[in-house]
Each structure stands twice: as C-alpha cells, then as structure tokens.
Amino acid sequence: MLGRINHVALAVPNLTAAVATYRDTLGAAVSQPQALPEHGVTVVFVELPNTKVELLEPLGEGSSIAAFLEKNPSGGMHHICYEVDDIILARDHLKQQGARVLGNGEPKTGAHGKPVIFLHPKDFFGTLIEIEQV
C-alpha cells in the first residue's frame, strides 16, 4: 500500500532561523513559506534528491505545532509522510486494521494541494503518520 516517503516533518520554533540553517549552513534548496491555516502551520520544504524535509512553524491560536513545541521547545521530528495511490482505499484499509484516523476521517488538502490524512501516533510506535495521495 505504501509508496515512497514524501517528506519528514520537523517542528521548529523559528521558521526563519530554520530556513537559514538549511539554506546557508547545509546548502539546501528551500521553498518559500506557505501558510496553511486549515492545518494551523506555516511550512517550507527543503528539496532533496530523494525526498523533502518539511519545516513547520505554528500559525494561529490552537496550532497543534504550538502544543508540540511547548513539550519540545527546541523543536523536533513531528511526522513522516508516506505516499499512496488511493487515499480512500488506504484510509478504509487502515481503519479496518484498527488504525485511528485523526479528525473526522475525511481527507483534507495538504501543502502539495493533494488529499492527506493523519494517523494516531499511538498506533504507530509513537510517530504521527501522514498519508498523502499521489
């Protein structure tokens, strides 16, 4: 069911500083910031030859990233995103296997303009999983 890793997401306390580190220190190509109010984050993508790293900063009140950063003030790995061909088939299979889909279970539009769902970290060894349709 799973395709390639689309990205690994890191929550950061300061997006500007994180972009500078990846761009200037590591020499990476970094996208422009993109606000995603529906998800409560501002994101940038670090483009790599085989995948991406998503840097997340809280956006607005009640952002889940703000809550994550309260527990991890210097930031850290937030989630990993896997690609699937059909998100509805994947979601239904996952639910049938006992995985908990966060929210109302309906896909939302993610940063790439494609449908995404998130799976409860307690079902996946403490790691929040994002599933994105390709």
Side-chain angles (χ1 to χ4, degrees):
M1 176 177 70
L2 292 180
R4 70 182 194 99
I5 293 175
N6 182 280
H7 64 268
V8 174
L10 306 177
V12 299
N14 182 315
L15 193 58
T16 301
V19 166
T21 297
Y22 272 84
R23 183 190 60 229
D24 303 337
T25 304
L26 295 173
V30 182
S31 72
Q32 291 298 312
Q34 179 183 4
L36 299 173
E38 182 179 1
H39 296 278
V41 295
T42 300
V43 304
V44 300
F45 285 95
V46 178
E47 300 291 335
L48 303 171
N50 60 343
T51 193
K52 295 178 274 308
V53 173
E54 180 182 39
L55 304 175
L56 306 165
E57 180 180 68
L59 175 66
E61 296 294 318
S63 169
S64 62
I65 300 304
F68 180 91
L69 289 171
E70 284 178 21
K71 296 175 187 167
N72 307 278
S74 60
M77 187 176 132
H78 185 262
H79 67 269
I80 187 167
C81 177
Y82 297 106
E83 295 178 351
V84 297
D85 290 328
D86 185 319
I87 199 161
I88 300 302
L89 285 176
R91 178 202 61 195
D92 293 349
H93 171 78
L94 288 158
K95 287 173 80 174
Q96 189 176 53
Q97 296 300 312
R100 290 173 280 178
V101 177
L102 298 179
N104 65 6
E106 291 303 313
K108 292 183 178 182
T109 301
H112 301 115
K114 298 178 180 179
V116 300
I117 58 172
F118 286 88
L119 305 174
H120 202 292
K122 289 186 179 177
D123 297 337
F124 296 94
F125 314 101
T127 303
L128 179 64
I129 301 292
E130 180 180 12
I131 302 293
E132 178 177 293
Q133 182 171 295
V134 292

